[in-house]
Amino acid sequence: MSETNRLKLGIPKGSLQDATIALFERAGWRIFANGRSYFPSVDDAEIECMLVRAQEMARYVEHGALDAGLTGNDWVLENETDVEYVTSLTYSKQSRQKVKWVLAVPEDSPFQRPEDLAGKTIATELVEFTKRYFAGKNIPVTVEFSWGATEVKPPMLADAIVEVTETGSSLRANRLRIIETLMESETQLIANKKAYQDAWKREKIENISLMLNAAIAAQGRVGLMLNARKVDLDVIIGVLPALNSPTVSQLSDQEWVALNTILDEALVREVIPKLKAAGATGIVEYPLSKVVL
């Protein structure tokens, strides 16, 4: 196989690695990360995977060492890299929500807003973005790189921190309070601009994008099939909180129709009794692996 027909794909190493590999499996690709190897195998001869830290992914994609990769838009902005944004993929290690980079200070500190930190020291892993943020507000601060455990640095090692959070629980556990949100971030599928102009690579990247989004769309949703008399149809459709309008098909008995729809799994326990009460029969719930919107 020629190099042209092989896609070099970066998988984020670290906290997002397991969630990313699980997402690819739901999308139809099995990625096997074994031991200390940075080159996991994948059951697609057209893809060559490499594990790369999310913080560095955008640089390698920009320079062409990788054709495409998954990383947060926070690290694209931090490194000011010039890459193609293919799609947003809202998933993370804990939830399906965007993460936030926040400015936080000790609970008992006098600081209430960013301006109060003039002349103070900020610890963060997001150094360049934080510098640009405070410079844009004309607030003179010292921004220091944090190698980790950033939450424990105030007040002895820093006056404030800029840290990423999903739920805020770690900040609260370390008695920190948020005074400003600097940005929201989510995982992006990004591509090298030259690679994205190659017809074969672009189609491969866009197919991956389609299937990853389909896997994400299916999370937390189920399919529902049921039969109903035509006279009850309006009432039953009113009960269904459909992703789209339900599909209605005529049955051999002219008085009956079949309905097929998608809904949030959390609603099933409330919807099925209502459907039964409205006259629906033959109600079947089934799992979804992908939903192409």
Side-chain angles (χ1 to χ4, degrees):
M1 181 180 297
S2 69
E3 188 67 19
T4 304
N5 290 345
R6 185 182 293 273
L7 188 77
K8 293 177 289 186
L9 179 66
I11 302 295
K13 181 175 176 60
S15 61
L16 268 180
Q17 180 176 325
D18 290 344
T20 302
I21 290 174
L23 174 61
F24 267 86
E25 183 164 0
R26 293 196 303 275
W29 286 272
R30 298 190 69 191
I31 297 173
F32 305 92
N34 299 317
R36 298 176 181 270
S37 174
Y38 282 79
F39 297 93
S41 60
V42 57
D43 63 346
D44 185 336
E46 296 176 342
I47 297 177
E48 178 183 328
C49 287
M50 183 177 183
L51 292 174
V52 177
R53 293 183 75 230
Q55 294 89 329
E56 302 175 294
M57 186 76 72
R59 291 205 318 267
Y60 291 126
V61 171
E62 180 186 35
H63 298 153
L66 296 168
D67 297 316
L70 287 84
T71 188
N73 58 282
D74 45 5
W75 298 113
V76 178
L77 295 172
E78 167 71 2
N79 294 299
E80 294 186 293
T81 42
D82 185 23
V83 295
E84 189 76 36
Y85 283 93
V86 180
T87 189
S88 298
L89 300 165
T90 307
Y91 75 101
S92 62
K93 59 184 177 180
Q94 290 183 27
S95 67
R96 292 175 56 200
Q97 299 178 343
K98 295 180 181 180
V99 298
K100 295 179 180 180
W101 283 91
V102 298
L103 178 63
V105 297
E107 285 179 351
D108 57 359
S109 77
F111 309 122
Q112 300 296 327
R113 27 179 219 140
E115 288 77 8
D116 297 337
L117 292 165
K120 304 299 183 182
T121 298
I122 316 292
T124 184
E125 192 177 357
L126 201 73
V127 172
E128 298 305 320
F129 183 89
T130 301
K131 286 179 178 178
R132 294 194 299 271
Y133 171 83
F134 279 97
K137 290 181 171 288
N138 294 314
I139 304 171
V141 295
T142 299
V143 181
E144 295 183 345
F145 180 75
S146 173
W147 290 95
T150 307
E151 297 98 328
V152 304
K153 295 190 174 176
M156 293 182 63
L157 302 178
D159 299 291
I161 63 171
V162 170
E163 180 66 329
V164 66
T165 182
E166 286 188 49
T167 64
S169 58
S170 180
L171 295 173
R172 291 190 294 271
N174 286 281
R175 302 191 63 197
L176 298 171
R177 58 181 166 84
I178 298 169
I179 62 174
E180 187 89 331
T181 297
L182 275 62
M183 79 156 101
E184 288 188 330
S185 180
E186 60 187 333
T187 305
Q188 305 281 333
L189 175 60
I190 59 173
N192 172 270
K193 290 200 164 180
K194 184 178 178 181
Y196 205 58
Q197 295 307 308
D198 177 271
W200 183 90
K201 289 183 178 180
R202 182 174 188 140
E203 182 180 9
K204 188 71 174 179
I205 292 167
E206 289 181 345
N207 286 344
I208 291 171
S209 170
L210 174 71
M211 298 307 290
L212 291 177
N213 277 297
I216 290 172
Q219 285 184 276
R221 288 175 171 151
V222 296
L224 209 62
M225 296 187 298
L226 55 119
N227 297 331
R229 291 182 182 275
K230 285 184 178 178
V231 294
D232 299 325
L233 188 57
D234 288 343
V235 175
I236 286 173
I237 288 177
V239 171
L240 291 172
L243 178 64
N244 294 300
S245 297
T247 300
V248 181
S249 306
Q250 179 66 54
L251 295 178
S252 57
D253 185 332
Q254 294 299 309
E255 299 300 316
W256 287 79
V257 292
L259 287 82
N260 201 326
T261 192
I262 294 171
L263 69 162
D264 289 337
E265 188 174 16
L267 299 176
V268 171
R269 65 187 183 189
E270 298 173 9
V271 169
I272 287 181
K274 291 179 181 177
L275 290 171
K276 184 68 175 174
T281 63
I283 303 169
V284 177
E285 175 191 342
Y286 57 93
L288 302 172
S289 58
K290 300 171 189 68
V291 176
V292 179
L293 301 174

PDB file of all heavy atoms in Angstrom, residues 14 16 45 52 65 71 74 102 113 120 129 138 146-147 155 160 171 184 187 204 206 213 219-220 233 252 266 270:
ATOM      1  N   GLY A  14      -2.834   9.494  27.432  1.00  0.00           N
ATOM      2  CA  GLY A  14      -3.095  10.066  28.753  1.00  0.00           C
ATOM      3  C   GLY A  14      -4.551   9.920  29.143  1.00  0.00           C
ATOM      4  O   GLY A  14      -5.179   8.890  28.905  1.00  0.00           O
ATOM      5  N   LEU A  16      -7.365  11.004  28.083  1.00  0.00           N
ATOM      6  CA  LEU A  16      -8.398  10.771  27.082  1.00  0.00           C
ATOM      7  C   LEU A  16      -8.203   9.473  26.308  1.00  0.00           C
ATOM      8  O   LEU A  16      -9.045   9.111  25.480  1.00  0.00           O
ATOM      9  CB  LEU A  16      -8.432  11.939  26.080  1.00  0.00           C
ATOM     10  CG  LEU A  16      -9.373  13.110  26.361  1.00  0.00           C
ATOM     11  CD1 LEU A  16      -9.261  14.144  25.258  1.00  0.00           C
ATOM     12  CD2 LEU A  16     -10.809  12.662  26.510  1.00  0.00           C
ATOM     13  N   ALA A  45      -6.173  -1.518   7.625  1.00  0.00           N
ATOM     14  CA  ALA A  45      -4.857  -1.430   6.990  1.00  0.00           C
ATOM     15  C   ALA A  45      -4.570  -0.049   6.429  1.00  0.00           C
ATOM     16  O   ALA A  45      -3.417   0.275   6.122  1.00  0.00           O
ATOM     17  CB  ALA A  45      -4.751  -2.472   5.877  1.00  0.00           C
ATOM     18  N   VAL A  52       0.025  10.213  21.036  1.00  0.00           N
ATOM     19  CA  VAL A  52       0.691  11.502  21.216  1.00  0.00           C
ATOM     20  C   VAL A  52      -0.057  12.263  22.300  1.00  0.00           C
ATOM     21  O   VAL A  52      -1.292  12.233  22.353  1.00  0.00           O
ATOM     22  CB  VAL A  52       0.680  12.321  19.900  1.00  0.00           C
ATOM     23  CG1 VAL A  52       1.312  13.690  20.103  1.00  0.00           C
ATOM     24  CG2 VAL A  52       1.406  11.568  18.790  1.00  0.00           C
ATOM     25  N   ALA A  65       3.708  15.540  10.414  1.00  0.00           N
ATOM     26  CA  ALA A  65       4.126  14.241  10.950  1.00  0.00           C
ATOM     27  C   ALA A  65       2.910  13.333  11.104  1.00  0.00           C
ATOM     28  O   ALA A  65       3.017  12.112  11.003  1.00  0.00           O
ATOM     29  CB  ALA A  65       4.821  14.420  12.302  1.00  0.00           C
ATOM     30  N   THR A  71      -7.534  16.133  19.555  1.00  0.00           N
ATOM     31  CA  THR A  71      -7.021  16.936  20.658  1.00  0.00           C
ATOM     32  C   THR A  71      -8.049  18.004  20.982  1.00  0.00           C
ATOM     33  O   THR A  71      -8.968  18.256  20.201  1.00  0.00           O
ATOM     34  CB  THR A  71      -5.672  17.574  20.312  1.00  0.00           C
ATOM     35  OG1 THR A  71      -5.129  18.202  21.491  1.00  0.00           O
ATOM     36  CG2 THR A  71      -5.800  18.621  19.221  1.00  0.00           C
ATOM     37  N   ASP A  74      -8.406  23.662  23.077  1.00  0.00           N
ATOM     38  CA  ASP A  74      -7.579  24.446  23.999  1.00  0.00           C
ATOM     39  C   ASP A  74      -6.098  24.351  23.618  1.00  0.00           C
ATOM     40  O   ASP A  74      -5.374  25.359  23.628  1.00  0.00           O
ATOM     41  CB  ASP A  74      -7.788  24.009  25.455  1.00  0.00           C
ATOM     42  CG  ASP A  74      -7.804  22.492  25.647  1.00  0.00           C
ATOM     43  OD1 ASP A  74      -7.560  21.740  24.673  1.00  0.00           O
ATOM     44  OD2 ASP A  74      -8.069  22.047  26.780  1.00  0.00           O
ATOM     45  N   VAL A 102     -10.534  27.505  33.891  1.00  0.00           N
ATOM     46  CA  VAL A 102     -11.026  28.526  34.802  1.00  0.00           C
ATOM     47  C   VAL A 102      -9.880  29.159  35.586  1.00  0.00           C
ATOM     48  O   VAL A 102      -8.839  28.532  35.824  1.00  0.00           O
ATOM     49  CB  VAL A 102     -12.063  27.945  35.781  1.00  0.00           C
ATOM     50  CG1 VAL A 102     -13.278  27.413  35.019  1.00  0.00           C
ATOM     51  CG2 VAL A 102     -11.461  26.851  36.650  1.00  0.00           C
ATOM     52  N   ARG A 113     -11.947  39.211  41.175  1.00  0.00           N
ATOM     53  CA  ARG A 113     -11.981  39.324  39.718  1.00  0.00           C
ATOM     54  C   ARG A 113     -10.571  39.324  39.189  1.00  0.00           C
ATOM     55  O   ARG A 113      -9.612  39.518  39.942  1.00  0.00           O
ATOM     56  CB  ARG A 113     -12.709  40.582  39.258  1.00  0.00           C
ATOM     57  CG  ARG A 113     -12.676  41.691  40.220  1.00  0.00           C
ATOM     58  CD  ARG A 113     -13.345  42.951  39.835  1.00  0.00           C
ATOM     59  NE  ARG A 113     -12.481  44.040  40.337  1.00  0.00           N
ATOM     60  CZ  ARG A 113     -12.231  45.139  39.690  1.00  0.00           C
ATOM     61  NH1 ARG A 113     -12.749  45.337  38.502  1.00  0.00           N
ATOM     62  NH2 ARG A 113     -11.447  46.054  40.190  1.00  0.00           N
ATOM     63  N   LYS A 120       0.462  39.622  40.532  1.00  0.00           N
ATOM     64  CA  LYS A 120       0.492  38.329  41.212  1.00  0.00           C
ATOM     65  C   LYS A 120       0.998  37.225  40.279  1.00  0.00           C
ATOM     66  O   LYS A 120       1.241  37.441  39.093  1.00  0.00           O
ATOM     67  CB  LYS A 120      -0.904  37.976  41.740  1.00  0.00           C
ATOM     68  CG  LYS A 120      -1.501  39.037  42.665  1.00  0.00           C
ATOM     69  CD  LYS A 120      -0.650  39.263  43.906  1.00  0.00           C
ATOM     70  CE  LYS A 120      -1.300  40.277  44.846  1.00  0.00           C
ATOM     71  NZ  LYS A 120      -0.464  40.538  46.042  1.00  0.00           N
ATOM     72  N   PHE A 129      -1.696  30.791  26.374  1.00  0.00           N
ATOM     73  CA  PHE A 129      -3.062  31.306  26.290  1.00  0.00           C
ATOM     74  C   PHE A 129      -3.351  32.213  27.487  1.00  0.00           C
ATOM     75  O   PHE A 129      -3.975  33.273  27.341  1.00  0.00           O
ATOM     76  CB  PHE A 129      -4.067  30.159  26.241  1.00  0.00           C
ATOM     77  CG  PHE A 129      -5.495  30.612  26.071  1.00  0.00           C
ATOM     78  CD1 PHE A 129      -6.030  30.778  24.807  1.00  0.00           C
ATOM     79  CD2 PHE A 129      -6.296  30.879  27.179  1.00  0.00           C
ATOM     80  CE1 PHE A 129      -7.348  31.208  24.643  1.00  0.00           C
ATOM     81  CE2 PHE A 129      -7.603  31.320  27.022  1.00  0.00           C
ATOM     82  CZ  PHE A 129      -8.127  31.477  25.758  1.00  0.00           C
ATOM     83  N   ASN A 138      -4.836  43.953  29.837  1.00  0.00           N
ATOM     84  CA  ASN A 138      -3.831  44.881  30.392  1.00  0.00           C
ATOM     85  C   ASN A 138      -3.632  44.687  31.893  1.00  0.00           C
ATOM     86  O   ASN A 138      -3.509  45.651  32.659  1.00  0.00           O
ATOM     87  CB  ASN A 138      -4.216  46.341  30.098  1.00  0.00           C
ATOM     88  CG  ASN A 138      -4.176  46.644  28.613  1.00  0.00           C
ATOM     89  OD1 ASN A 138      -3.228  46.274  27.920  1.00  0.00           O
ATOM     90  ND2 ASN A 138      -5.208  47.305  28.117  1.00  0.00           N
ATOM     91  N   SER A 146       3.051  24.963  35.220  1.00  0.00           N
ATOM     92  CA  SER A 146       2.844  23.983  36.283  1.00  0.00           C
ATOM     93  C   SER A 146       2.969  22.588  35.704  1.00  0.00           C
ATOM     94  O   SER A 146       2.308  22.249  34.714  1.00  0.00           O
ATOM     95  CB  SER A 146       1.447  24.162  36.896  1.00  0.00           C
ATOM     96  OG  SER A 146       1.177  23.129  37.810  1.00  0.00           O
ATOM     97  N   TRP A 147       3.787  21.773  36.309  1.00  0.00           N
ATOM     98  CA  TRP A 147       4.022  20.410  35.840  1.00  0.00           C
ATOM     99  C   TRP A 147       2.961  19.435  36.319  1.00  0.00           C
ATOM    100  O   TRP A 147       3.013  18.253  36.022  1.00  0.00           O
ATOM    101  CB  TRP A 147       5.404  19.930  36.304  1.00  0.00           C
ATOM    102  CG  TRP A 147       6.528  20.621  35.608  1.00  0.00           C
ATOM    103  CD1 TRP A 147       7.212  21.714  36.043  1.00  0.00           C
ATOM    104  CD2 TRP A 147       7.093  20.277  34.338  1.00  0.00           C
ATOM    105  NE1 TRP A 147       8.160  22.083  35.131  1.00  0.00           N
ATOM    106  CE2 TRP A 147       8.120  21.206  34.068  1.00  0.00           C
ATOM    107  CE3 TRP A 147       6.836  19.277  33.398  1.00  0.00           C
ATOM    108  CZ2 TRP A 147       8.884  21.170  32.910  1.00  0.00           C
ATOM    109  CZ3 TRP A 147       7.598  19.237  32.249  1.00  0.00           C
ATOM    110  CH2 TRP A 147       8.605  20.177  32.003  1.00  0.00           C
ATOM    111  N   PRO A 155      -2.088  28.846  48.401  1.00  0.00           N
ATOM    112  CA  PRO A 155      -1.541  30.192  48.188  1.00  0.00           C
ATOM    113  C   PRO A 155      -0.013  30.252  48.311  1.00  0.00           C
ATOM    114  O   PRO A 155       0.563  31.302  48.093  1.00  0.00           O
ATOM    115  CB  PRO A 155      -2.195  30.974  49.324  1.00  0.00           C
ATOM    116  CG  PRO A 155      -2.260  29.968  50.446  1.00  0.00           C
ATOM    117  CD  PRO A 155      -2.523  28.629  49.788  1.00  0.00           C
ATOM    118  N   ALA A 160      -2.871  32.318  42.262  1.00  0.00           N
ATOM    119  CA  ALA A 160      -4.061  31.803  41.583  1.00  0.00           C
ATOM    120  C   ALA A 160      -3.612  30.762  40.565  1.00  0.00           C
ATOM    121  O   ALA A 160      -2.416  30.625  40.283  1.00  0.00           O
ATOM    122  CB  ALA A 160      -4.819  32.933  40.891  1.00  0.00           C
ATOM    123  N   LEU A 171     -11.417  21.185  42.308  1.00  0.00           N
ATOM    124  CA  LEU A 171     -11.188  22.546  42.809  1.00  0.00           C
ATOM    125  C   LEU A 171     -11.824  22.723  44.181  1.00  0.00           C
ATOM    126  O   LEU A 171     -11.204  23.263  45.102  1.00  0.00           O
ATOM    127  CB  LEU A 171     -11.756  23.571  41.815  1.00  0.00           C
ATOM    128  CG  LEU A 171     -11.089  23.628  40.439  1.00  0.00           C
ATOM    129  CD1 LEU A 171     -11.865  24.551  39.514  1.00  0.00           C
ATOM    130  CD2 LEU A 171      -9.642  24.086  40.553  1.00  0.00           C
ATOM    131  N   GLU A 184     -14.090  27.501  27.058  1.00  0.00           N
ATOM    132  CA  GLU A 184     -14.619  26.143  27.041  1.00  0.00           C
ATOM    133  C   GLU A 184     -13.883  25.373  25.954  1.00  0.00           C
ATOM    134  O   GLU A 184     -13.486  25.945  24.938  1.00  0.00           O
ATOM    135  CB  GLU A 184     -16.115  26.133  26.759  1.00  0.00           C
ATOM    136  CG  GLU A 184     -16.961  26.639  27.899  1.00  0.00           C
ATOM    137  CD  GLU A 184     -18.435  26.422  27.652  1.00  0.00           C
ATOM    138  OE1 GLU A 184     -18.857  26.426  26.485  1.00  0.00           O
ATOM    139  OE2 GLU A 184     -19.168  26.240  28.648  1.00  0.00           O
ATOM    140  N   THR A 187     -13.004  18.074  22.537  1.00  0.00           N
ATOM    141  CA  THR A 187     -12.124  17.369  21.622  1.00  0.00           C
ATOM    142  C   THR A 187     -12.481  17.696  20.179  1.00  0.00           C
ATOM    143  O   THR A 187     -13.656  17.802  19.826  1.00  0.00           O
ATOM    144  CB  THR A 187     -12.224  15.853  21.848  1.00  0.00           C
ATOM    145  OG1 THR A 187     -11.947  15.579  23.223  1.00  0.00           O
ATOM    146  CG2 THR A 187     -11.217  15.107  20.982  1.00  0.00           C
ATOM    147  N   LYS A 204     -11.137   9.701   3.709  1.00  0.00           N
ATOM    148  CA  LYS A 204     -10.911   8.818   4.862  1.00  0.00           C
ATOM    149  C   LYS A 204     -11.167   9.562   6.166  1.00  0.00           C
ATOM    150  O   LYS A 204     -11.836   9.047   7.081  1.00  0.00           O
ATOM    151  CB  LYS A 204      -9.483   8.282   4.829  1.00  0.00           C
ATOM    152  CG  LYS A 204      -9.204   7.201   5.869  1.00  0.00           C
ATOM    153  CD  LYS A 204      -9.894   5.894   5.526  1.00  0.00           C
ATOM    154  CE  LYS A 204      -9.500   4.776   6.485  1.00  0.00           C
ATOM    155  NZ  LYS A 204     -10.192   3.513   6.179  1.00  0.00           N
ATOM    156  N   GLU A 206     -13.023  12.235   6.611  1.00  0.00           N
ATOM    157  CA  GLU A 206     -14.439  12.582   6.739  1.00  0.00           C
ATOM    158  C   GLU A 206     -15.287  11.355   7.070  1.00  0.00           C
ATOM    159  O   GLU A 206     -16.286  11.462   7.783  1.00  0.00           O
ATOM    160  CB  GLU A 206     -14.922  13.273   5.473  1.00  0.00           C
ATOM    161  CG  GLU A 206     -14.343  14.678   5.326  1.00  0.00           C
ATOM    162  CD  GLU A 206     -14.825  15.412   4.094  1.00  0.00           C
ATOM    163  OE1 GLU A 206     -15.382  14.765   3.175  1.00  0.00           O
ATOM    164  OE2 GLU A 206     -14.627  16.641   4.035  1.00  0.00           O
ATOM    165  N   ASN A 213     -19.003  10.665  15.053  1.00  0.00           N
ATOM    166  CA  ASN A 213     -20.181  11.444  15.445  1.00  0.00           C
ATOM    167  C   ASN A 213     -21.408  10.559  15.589  1.00  0.00           C
ATOM    168  O   ASN A 213     -22.243  10.781  16.473  1.00  0.00           O
ATOM    169  CB  ASN A 213     -20.440  12.556  14.423  1.00  0.00           C
ATOM    170  CG  ASN A 213     -19.595  13.791  14.682  1.00  0.00           C
ATOM    171  OD1 ASN A 213     -19.729  14.434  15.714  1.00  0.00           O
ATOM    172  ND2 ASN A 213     -18.708  14.120  13.762  1.00  0.00           N
ATOM    173  N   GLN A 219     -24.966   7.464  22.009  1.00  0.00           N
ATOM    174  CA  GLN A 219     -24.774   7.312  23.447  1.00  0.00           C
ATOM    175  C   GLN A 219     -25.991   7.837  24.209  1.00  0.00           C
ATOM    176  O   GLN A 219     -26.456   8.952  23.977  1.00  0.00           O
ATOM    177  CB  GLN A 219     -23.526   8.067  23.907  1.00  0.00           C
ATOM    178  CG  GLN A 219     -22.223   7.382  23.550  1.00  0.00           C
ATOM    179  CD  GLN A 219     -21.037   8.127  24.109  1.00  0.00           C
ATOM    180  OE1 GLN A 219     -20.549   9.084  23.524  1.00  0.00           O
ATOM    181  NE2 GLN A 219     -20.578   7.693  25.264  1.00  0.00           N
ATOM    182  N   GLY A 220     -26.495   7.025  25.110  1.00  0.00           N
ATOM    183  CA  GLY A 220     -27.613   7.458  25.944  1.00  0.00           C
ATOM    184  C   GLY A 220     -28.948   7.441  25.230  1.00  0.00           C
ATOM    185  O   GLY A 220     -29.940   7.952  25.760  1.00  0.00           O
ATOM    186  N   LEU A 233     -53.230   7.157  16.857  1.00  0.00           N
ATOM    187  CA  LEU A 233     -51.918   7.595  16.392  1.00  0.00           C
ATOM    188  C   LEU A 233     -51.534   8.982  16.898  1.00  0.00           C
ATOM    189  O   LEU A 233     -50.411   9.195  17.370  1.00  0.00           O
ATOM    190  CB  LEU A 233     -51.870   7.549  14.863  1.00  0.00           C
ATOM    191  CG  LEU A 233     -50.508   7.799  14.214  1.00  0.00           C
ATOM    192  CD1 LEU A 233     -49.474   6.804  14.739  1.00  0.00           C
ATOM    193  CD2 LEU A 233     -50.620   7.705  12.685  1.00  0.00           C
ATOM    194  N   SER A 252     -50.277  -4.914   7.672  1.00  0.00           N
ATOM    195  CA  SER A 252     -51.197  -5.634   6.785  1.00  0.00           C
ATOM    196  C   SER A 252     -52.653  -5.381   7.161  1.00  0.00           C
ATOM    197  O   SER A 252     -53.528  -5.313   6.309  1.00  0.00           O
ATOM    198  CB  SER A 252     -50.898  -7.138   6.812  1.00  0.00           C
ATOM    199  OG  SER A 252     -50.972  -7.621   8.136  1.00  0.00           O
ATOM    200  N   ALA A 266     -32.965   7.722  29.264  1.00  0.00           N
ATOM    201  CA  ALA A 266     -33.477   8.125  30.582  1.00  0.00           C
ATOM    202  C   ALA A 266     -34.981   8.351  30.572  1.00  0.00           C
ATOM    203  O   ALA A 266     -35.629   8.327  31.626  1.00  0.00           O
ATOM    204  CB  ALA A 266     -32.766   9.395  31.041  1.00  0.00           C
ATOM    205  N   GLU A 270     -40.491   6.477  31.666  1.00  0.00           N
ATOM    206  CA  GLU A 270     -41.690   7.312  31.735  1.00  0.00           C
ATOM    207  C   GLU A 270     -42.547   7.159  30.482  1.00  0.00           C
ATOM    208  O   GLU A 270     -43.779   7.198  30.556  1.00  0.00           O
ATOM    209  CB  GLU A 270     -41.290   8.785  31.898  1.00  0.00           C
ATOM    210  CG  GLU A 270     -40.518   9.079  33.173  1.00  0.00           C
ATOM    211  CD  GLU A 270     -40.007  10.512  33.209  1.00  0.00           C
ATOM    212  OE1 GLU A 270     -40.404  11.300  32.317  1.00  0.00           O
ATOM    213  OE2 GLU A 270     -39.216  10.838  34.114  1.00  0.00           O
TER     214      GLU A 270
END
